[in-house]
Amino acid sequence: MKSIEGLIESANDLFLKKRFLDAIPIYEKILKIDPTNLNAVNNKGYALSKSKDYKNAIDCYNHGLKINPNDKSLKINKISALRKMRMFDEALQNCDLFLNENPNGLTVLYHKLRILQMVEQFDESIHICNKILDVYPNNGEILFDKAVNLAYLGKTPACLESLKMSIRISNEFKIKAKNSSSFDGLEKNHQFLEIIS
C-alpha cells in the first residue's frame, strides 16, 4: 500500500493536471488514514469546488477549520465557494471576519468587492476597489471592476476614466467591455465607443 506521502504526490499530480474528479478519491483515501491532513482537506475542497460541488467543498473547508481555525487558505477557499453558491450574506460575514485580522488580505478584498457588486452595493464595492488600487494602482482587473460599479451608478465620466486606465494596462479589458452588459447604458456614448473601438 502506498504511503501517505505517495498518495499525496499522486493526488497532487492529478490536481495540478486539473483532473479534479480523479484526485478526490485519493484525497479521501488520505483522510481515512489521517483525518487531520490539512493539505488533503484543502485540496479535496478545492477539487470539489472546481467540480462545482460547492456544498461538499464548504463541508470540507469547515472540517479543516475545526482542525486549524486560523488556516488562511481554508478561509479564502470557503469564501470563494460561498460566493459561487451565491450565499452572499454568509460570504460577506466570512470576508469581514478574515479582514478584521488581515485588513490587506488582497484575495479576500477582491472576493468582497465582487460580492458587493453582485448585491448591488456599488459604492461599497468602489471603496474596496480604491483600497486595493492604493496598494496596486496598475491592477487592470480592479480598475475594470471599478468602471463597472461606476457604470451602474451612472457616474459616466469617472467610469470612462477607470475603463480607459484598465485598457491602457491590457487590451483584454477592451474586449471585456464590449461583451459586458454592465455598459449597456453607454452604447450611444461616443467617448465609450471611442475607448472600446
Side-chain angles (χ1 to χ4, degrees):
M1 195 177 123
K2 268 190 178 177
S3 67
I4 279 203
E5 287 75 23
L7 287 167
I8 284 175
E9 207 175 299
S10 305
N12 288 351
D13 186 49
L14 291 165
F15 181 90
L16 292 171
K17 289 176 180 163
K18 298 189 178 352
R19 290 174 54 193
F20 301 114
L21 290 173
D22 294 328
I24 292 166
I26 302 173
Y27 288 125
E28 284 169 351
K29 231 184 248 180
I30 296 162
L31 291 167
K32 273 195 183 107
I33 302 163
D34 177 9
T36 64
N37 188 308
L38 283 181
N39 180 11
V41 171
N42 197 20
N43 284 1
K44 179 189 169 191
Y46 194 79
L48 286 162
S49 196
K50 283 290 186 186
S51 310
K52 297 193 179 348
D53 185 355
Y54 303 119
K55 190 200 172 304
N56 283 318
I58 290 166
D59 289 345
C60 215
Y61 299 137
N62 285 337
H63 168 71
L65 288 165
K66 278 181 192 146
I67 300 162
N68 181 1
N70 300 315
D71 189 293
K72 286 183 185 179
S73 185
L74 288 166
K75 289 179 182 182
I76 291 168
N77 289 339
K78 180 181 174 182
I79 289 166
S80 177
L82 287 166
R83 182 183 136 200
K84 286 172 184 149
M85 279 189 82
R86 305 184 72 79
M87 295 172 70
F88 299 134
D89 288 344
E90 197 178 334
L92 283 172
Q93 282 170 1
N94 280 267
C95 285
D96 291 338
L97 287 169
F98 186 97
L99 292 167
N100 283 342
E101 292 165 24
N102 314 277
N104 298 316
L106 190 64
T107 308
V108 174
L109 284 168
Y110 179 76
H111 281 302
K112 187 173 181 181
L113 84 82
R114 278 290 170 88
I115 296 163
L116 289 167
Q117 203 173 69
M118 290 164 120
V119 297
E120 299 184 6
Q121 291 182 30
F122 304 119
D123 282 315
E124 286 179 53
S125 187
I126 290 168
H127 173 72
I128 307 251
C129 289
N130 289 335
K131 191 172 177 172
I132 298 170
L133 291 167
D134 283 345
V135 186
Y136 301 99
N138 295 319
N139 187 318
E141 194 72 45
I142 303 301
L143 285 162
F144 185 85
D145 278 318
K146 184 177 176 180
V148 166
N149 285 320
L150 289 161
Y152 282 123
L153 290 170
K155 296 182 176 179
T156 304
C159 162
L160 295 176
E161 187 53 40
S162 196
L163 182 59
K164 215 186 293 178
M165 287 166 75
S166 74
I167 291 169
R168 261 187 233 130
I169 290 160
S170 169
N171 250 359
E172 74 175 278
F173 298 111
K174 189 182 278 193
I175 298 154
K176 226 174 155 182
K178 283 179 188 175
N179 298 320
S180 172
S181 61
S182 314
F183 302 106
D184 283 355
L186 297 172
E187 59 213 357
K188 293 191 173 115
N189 181 298
H190 70 277
Q191 274 180 292
F192 173 71
L193 295 171
E194 234 171 73
I195 291 168
I196 65 164
S197 66

